Amino acid sequence: MLTNYLKDVISYRQLHVLDETFVMNQCKEDCCFVSADFYRDMRTAALNGPENTLSRDYILPDYLDVRRGYIRQKEESVQGKPVIRMNNERFAVPEVLFSPADIGIQQMGVAECIMHAIGKLDQTCQPDLLANIALIGGNACLPGFKRRVHTEVRTLADCHMDVNVHCSSDPSSYAWQGAKVLANSPEFANKLISRKEYLEKGSDFCNEKFNI
């Protein structure tokens, strides 16, 4: 979602990158971060010259001399190179994860989703779940993501409950690693239902077997 949104945000500047989703994904990974204070960073991004500490020039790949995009160093010339100026887009794009309504998506943000999911469970389980929030997926790699999730969940949770947010060294593959551990466990075979069983007995068979 963020990659497509970033494409829309900058498409008016570099039309030739519209269909290059992987290029814009690299740009997101290299440039974007989650703001701890959105309005403060917006004021900084509105400044000119050296006072704007957030603006970056992103060199796009031309597949001749540059195979992968990168952030330009201050001393590097951009003459003749395809470049995108990344300013408030660096943090405004990830902000959509926490405030989808900013672009007209009437859905809950990340923190609200976490609290909504935990709130659906028995109250006796909720303190343990709040103390063990794990972040997965590529967007969890964005600088500031973990801190922002913790800050917002802490605000929404009851004051007497501990809130801990964990992020692995490789959140992009964390879910797959967990599935691999489960698949390699000896008891995994007992947790399977074949397609034939499902077609014959339906979802009620799943509820019965797994005590749902």
Side-chain angles (χ1 to χ4, degrees):
M1 181 186 76
L2 289 191
T3 299
N4 291 331
Y5 179 48
L6 182 57
K7 284 164 54 179
D8 292 339
V9 167
I10 67 172
S11 62
Y12 69 97
R13 305 183 204 171
Q14 297 287 343
L15 294 178
H16 68 280
V17 303
L18 272 174
D19 295 325
E20 304 290 353
T21 300
F22 68 94
V23 173
M24 298 318 303
N25 192 58
Q26 291 172 349
C27 179
K28 180 198 74 174
E29 293 174 353
D30 294 343
C31 293
C32 289
F33 66 93
V34 176
S35 175
D37 188 333
F38 182 79
Y39 294 105
R40 179 198 63 196
D41 287 339
M42 284 294 289
R43 290 192 295 269
T44 301
L47 299 174
N48 295 318
E51 292 181 323
N52 184 343
T53 58
L54 297 176
S55 179
R56 299 288 187 276
D57 286 335
Y58 191 76
I59 307 297
L60 294 168
D62 57 14
Y63 304 108
L64 294 174
D65 299 320
V66 181
R67 293 289 183 179
R68 190 192 190 285
Y70 63 94
I71 298 175
R72 178 182 75 91
Q73 300 299 316
K74 290 184 178 181
E75 66 276 5
E76 181 182 356
S77 171
V78 298
Q79 186 174 1
K81 298 178 182 179
V83 60
I84 295 176
R85 174 63 56 85
M86 298 291 292
N87 193 25
N88 60 14
E89 299 85 3
R90 296 185 63 205
F91 57 90
V93 170
E95 187 69 18
V96 175
L97 293 171
F98 298 90
S99 303
D102 289 352
I103 59 170
I105 299 177
Q106 300 305 315
Q107 296 181 4
M108 294 182 289
V110 172
E112 289 87 356
C113 286
I114 292 172
M115 292 304 300
H116 178 74
I118 292 177
K120 290 291 185 180
L121 300 173
D122 189 276
Q123 289 187 350
T124 59
C125 302
Q126 293 179 17
D128 291 333
L129 294 173
L130 283 169
N132 291 280
I133 299 171
L135 302 178
I136 62 172
N139 287 327
C141 297
L142 292 173
F145 187 88
K146 176 182 175 182
R147 178 179 59 182
R148 179 70 175 273
V149 171
H150 181 273
T151 299
E152 294 203 359
V153 172
R154 176 67 279 171
T155 301
L156 297 172
D158 290 341
C159 60
H160 65 277
M161 293 185 180
D162 291 331
V163 174
N164 292 303
V165 179
H166 308 278
C167 188
S168 74
S169 58
D170 185 13
S172 298
S173 65
Y174 193 62
W176 182 86
Q177 294 290 345
K180 185 178 74 171
V181 172
L182 176 62
N184 289 331
S185 62
E187 63 273 14
F188 182 63
N190 298 325
K191 302 181 184 297
L192 299 177
I193 291 178
S194 69
R195 182 174 183 273
K196 181 179 179 182
E197 288 176 322
Y198 184 81
L199 292 176
E200 287 180 357
K201 303 177 182 179
S203 59
D204 289 340
F205 180 62
C206 300
N207 298 336
E208 179 182 344
K209 183 169 183 175
F210 301 122
N211 297 318
I212 298 177

